[in-house]
Amino acid sequence: MIAGFRLMSRALICIILSAPLLAAHADEKLDPAIDRISYFQATIKDAEYCSMTVANGDLVPINSRTGKALSNAAMLCPDMFSWKLFAEAILGKFWSNWADETNNWPDQPYALCKTDQSPDKDGCCRPGSANNDLDHCPVYPGTQYATKLKSLTDALTEDAHKLARDPALRRNTRLPFHDSLTPLSRFVKLKSMKEPATETLACSMNQVAEIIKKFNPTDAESIGRVIRQTNAELTVRNREFHDYLFANNLYNADGVLEVFAANQKNLQEEAPYRRANQSSKNGKPGSLYRVDLPPDAVMIKSNWLHQNLAKALGFPNDPNLYISKQLQTDINLTALGISPQKDNEDLHCNFEGIHHLVAFHISSKDIPNWVWTTFEHINLPGRCDITGCNDAYGYASGDEKRPAGTSANYVKPNQRSDRLNADSTVFDSGKTYPPEKIRPEWNELLVKLSIGSGGSTSQVEPDSEDKAWRNYRLKGSQVEFVNSIGQSTLLGNSVTEAGFMDGSSCISCHSRAGAAAETVNSPPPLSVFERSMTSFGYRRSHHGIPNQFWFYNDINGGPKMLVMQTDFVWGFLNAKRIRNKETKRAP
């Protein structure tokens, strides 16, 4: 968290020393300028009395001094709470049970059933019905495919590979959302009646060889950027999140636009009084005036790298070090120069096989503006670059040069001399970091929960006992836009935000997620990126507090809503317009 972001930007290029260094050897003393700026990134986020215990199989945050339950651990102990989310997501098998974006927002959704309608007769969707059309209605894999998922988990490797290719269980890549993000105007105009594209074929052996050759350019900005552009980015949401979307008709664009219209009408006709939200309950339709996910809603964005690509990047070639899963990564063969366009379209193939989990980000609605936290594998180069890594609870910094008596929560970014005539200290990016050491309480809790307690039963499907879960570290947590003295808080994942980590803020970026009115015919004012660039030339996302005029105009006639926040969830841009069930004509 840095006051005056210009200081941080300058630190990315070079920081001029007060006195030039005479030599540029590895053992020389570097100027402390970056360390002094990083002081604000190294804030200890957890209160000293943060602790957890296991009760009836659940992690319970408590006051270490009194033993009483903490009333708001998410705010008081965000790092500890991050590890709580980590454990709960693993026990919930997020990689298989949770719903991805095609499960949440079907490509050609049917309407939500009315009271007198049924899915099989009327071509509509009803939460909890066994007769829903799985191609046109939301699907929660952990329920719909419970039997198949159990068989996959229990299967030996050869059979597991076969089961993993089942169309119902196969996970497809999600290209990096920041790049594929479409203008909000498309949210209401397109992606509704278009027929699905032809299924992409698996990459051939010759294509795979060419992909690996071109995968790791020597002039890449960072390893994280390389991975970001060529990984299976899987975004999933838990049952509570999924059910809220389904029951409240938010799995399609029409339903979201109805909430927008209701909100706008309330503002125009009934100000200053607001109508209260009433979510769907016990099968009765809801009455929404804003998108407001329930407090137990959780979403995860995970980055999985094909094992051959990981090897090409120099990752240790030991599958036991990683959580792994059978996935497929979309490869743009035209962009890589492997195949020319066909019919004015780029050619793609799916790079199938075992993928290693290299990073993942968790967001939880435990507080109104969500809890944001990100984890990275210890072998990921550059994982603590620029902002450092900050963890006051799970693992302690292994920095042996840390002054006696200082907290072990912070791993500072690697630094070096720029070796110029008037030497400056700069970041030494893209290098590895020594793994932090597990703290006793967290180790004890993992043992009680049987997380990371033994070997994996399958490379194809992860399990909670896999010891590789202990190879992931907390990059940082975030629960506010600015801290108590007004400094912008920063948090980003070294893969997902690679190239613009110097100003990345999860909470600020997601505050811009919203839906626009049907009358909007041009891109609205909000997107992931602002009109500013990093020193590498990549676009930068927003950090700091949101701007109220992103959402409402400023005119004498009174405010009018331009964009409705969708509760920090960009995924609503995947919502499509309702498609009526096609009926066969009589001959």
Side-chain angles (χ1 to χ4, degrees):
M1 303 70 176
I2 303 166
F5 189 69
R6 292 179 180 175
L7 292 176
M8 187 63 174
S9 297
R10 292 173 185 170
L12 293 176
I13 305 173
C14 63
I15 298 175
I16 306 301
L17 305 180
S18 57
L21 297 176
L22 297 178
H25 299 294
D27 59 348
E28 67 189 353
K29 183 176 178 61
L30 297 174
D31 184 271
I34 291 180
D35 291 342
R36 287 169 180 162
I37 295 174
S38 297
Y39 177 82
F40 300 101
Q41 280 292 119
T43 298
I44 304 171
K45 297 177 183 177
D46 284 9
E48 59 182 295
Y49 43 78
C50 295
S51 182
M52 284 195 293
T53 187
V54 175
N56 299 320
D58 296 325
L59 283 171
V60 179
I62 60 172
N63 185 322
S64 61
R65 296 180 178 179
T66 65
K68 295 181 179 180
L70 292 174
S71 60
N72 195 347
M75 293 298 293
L76 290 170
C77 318
D79 289 352
M80 183 186 78
F81 197 82
S82 296
W83 284 110
K84 180 176 183 291
L85 294 173
F86 173 93
E88 290 170 346
I90 292 171
L91 294 175
K93 297 183 177 181
F94 72 87
W95 53 86
S96 61
N97 288 358
W98 292 17
D100 65 21
E101 284 158 346
T102 59
N103 301 137
N104 294 140
W105 293 283
D107 189 57
Q108 297 176 340
Y110 287 163
L112 190 67
C113 291
K114 297 178 180 179
T115 305
D116 58 348
Q117 292 181 318
S118 62
D120 50 344
K121 294 180 180 179
D122 300 292
C124 58
C125 302
R126 183 178 298 283
S129 174
N131 297 322
N132 287 327
D133 188 316
L134 302 184
D135 292 327
H136 299 279
C137 297
V139 175
Y140 190 72
T143 301
Q144 187 68 42
Y145 307 123
T147 302
K148 288 185 176 183
L149 286 170
K150 186 179 186 306
S151 297
L152 175 61
T153 301
D154 296 340
L156 298 176
T157 301
E158 185 176 343
D159 291 335
H161 275 274
K162 186 182 300 183
L163 287 169
R165 290 184 171 85
D166 184 306
L169 302 183
R170 186 173 56 193
R171 293 286 195 179
N172 297 311
T173 183
R174 296 291 173 269
L175 293 177
F177 199 69
H178 294 305
D179 281 351
S180 61
L181 191 65
T182 54
L184 288 176
S185 57
R186 190 177 181 189
F187 175 51
V188 296
K189 292 170 64 180
L190 305 176
K191 300 169 69 176
S192 55
M193 302 303 179
K194 186 178 179 181
E195 293 298 327
T198 303
E199 183 177 1
T200 303
L201 299 177
C203 301
S204 67
M205 294 297 293
N206 290 336
Q207 288 172 334
V208 167
E210 289 298 315
I211 291 166
I212 294 175
K213 283 182 183 179
K214 295 177 180 285
F215 169 63
N216 187 15
T218 57
D219 57 349
E221 178 271 322
S222 71
I223 295 297
R225 189 74 185 183
V226 174
I227 297 173
R228 178 189 169 214
Q229 299 306 100
T230 317
N231 80 111
E233 184 171 281
L234 182 64
T235 301
V236 293
R237 297 168 177 87
N238 69 351
R239 177 67 181 266
E240 291 74 14
F241 194 123
H242 179 83
D243 287 352
Y244 176 84
L245 294 180
F246 198 168
N248 289 285
N249 198 32
L250 297 175
Y251 65 91
N252 61 81
D254 297 72
V256 181
L257 290 171
E258 287 176 5
V259 180
F260 181 99
N263 192 324
Q264 187 78 287
K265 183 178 180 181
N266 183 204
L267 169 66
Q268 297 294 317
E269 300 180 4
E270 300 169 316
Y273 306 105
R274 288 177 176 259
R275 289 186 175 268
N277 247 25
Q278 180 60 60
S279 300
S280 172
K281 186 176 181 181
N282 298 326
K284 296 181 180 180
S287 178
L288 299 186
Y289 292 87
R290 68 183 186 278
V291 179
D292 187 14
L293 274 294
D296 43 8
V298 181
M299 52 186 174
I300 293 180
K301 180 185 295 182
S302 54
N303 303 100
W304 304 75
L305 184 64
H306 193 284
Q307 59 183 351
N308 291 352
L309 300 181
K311 181 179 179 181
L313 284 178
F315 279 73
N317 190 28
D318 181 356
N320 295 319
L321 298 176
Y322 311 95
I323 296 300
S324 302
K325 182 174 174 60
Q326 177 84 17
L327 287 168
Q328 53 189 32
T329 293
D330 176 84
I331 301 294
N332 188 327
L333 298 171
T334 303
L336 289 177
I338 297 174
S339 299
Q341 282 191 333
K342 183 178 181 180
D343 299 328
N344 294 321
E345 292 187 358
D346 290 354
L347 292 182
H348 293 248
C349 70
N350 285 327
F351 194 3
E352 298 183 347
I354 298 300
H355 285 60
H356 299 322
L357 179 62
V358 294
F360 60 105
H361 184 90
I362 306 178
S363 311
S364 171
K365 187 60 188 295
D366 286 273
I367 56 178
N369 293 339
W370 297 69
V371 177
W372 308 89
T373 182
T374 196
F375 300 87
E376 302 183 11
H377 195 277
I378 55 175
N379 289 330
L380 179 62
R383 64 183 176 88
C384 298
D385 284 357
I386 302 176
T387 60
C389 293
N390 200 342
D391 180 6
Y393 182 78
Y395 289 80
S397 170
D399 186 358
E400 297 179 354
K401 297 181 180 180
R402 181 170 50 85
T406 58
S407 174
N409 66 296
Y410 190 65
V411 178
K412 72 177 185 177
N414 290 327
Q415 304 167 34
R416 63 176 177 83
S417 167
D418 63 4
R419 297 175 180 260
L420 299 178
N421 184 53
D423 304 57
S424 295
T425 302
V426 295
F427 291 124
D428 192 12
S429 301
K431 304 295 192 302
T432 57
Y433 288 83
E436 300 88 322
K437 301 174 183 177
I438 195 166
R439 290 186 171 95
E441 180 174 290
W442 182 235
N443 181 64
E444 180 181 344
L445 293 173
L446 287 178
V447 171
K448 289 182 178 179
L449 295 171
S450 297
I451 295 176
S453 58
S456 174
T457 58
S458 171
Q459 286 184 319
V460 175
E461 189 67 7
D463 54 66
S464 60
E465 294 83 7
D466 196 327
K467 286 186 177 179
W469 287 117
R470 291 177 176 249
N471 290 334
Y472 296 87
R473 299 292 184 267
L474 178 66
K475 176 72 173 282
S477 60
Q478 188 179 39
V479 292
E480 52 193 357
F481 296 102
V482 297
N483 62 16
S484 61
I485 61 174
Q487 295 169 328
S488 297
T489 63
L490 300 177
L491 181 66
N493 185 287
S494 298
V495 175
T496 306
E497 281 75 42
F500 56 100
M501 273 290 300
D502 58 349
S504 178
S505 168
C506 300
I507 190 172
S508 301
C509 170
H510 280 260
S511 73
R512 292 164 60 87
E518 245 181 316
T519 55
V520 176
N521 294 316
S522 59
L526 304 183
S527 67
V528 166
F529 295 104
E530 297 184 311
R531 294 184 180 91
S532 63
M533 309 295 289
T534 68
S535 59
F536 301 109
Y538 295 119
R539 292 176 295 170
R540 178 179 279 123
S541 62
H542 183 73
H543 69 278
I545 61 174
N547 186 332
Q548 61 179 315
F549 297 117
W550 292 343
F551 307 100
Y552 298 92
N553 64 8
D554 183 21
I555 59 176
N556 293 330
K560 181 178 181 181
M561 186 168 59
L562 301 174
V563 176
M564 178 185 70
Q565 278 188 320
T566 49
D567 202 7
F568 293 80
V569 180
W570 284 111
F572 281 100
L573 292 180
N574 292 291
K576 318 297 193 304
R577 300 304 298 267
I578 289 174
R579 179 188 180 99
N580 295 326
K581 181 179 181 180
E582 295 180 359
T583 56
K584 294 182 179 180
R585 294 181 180 179

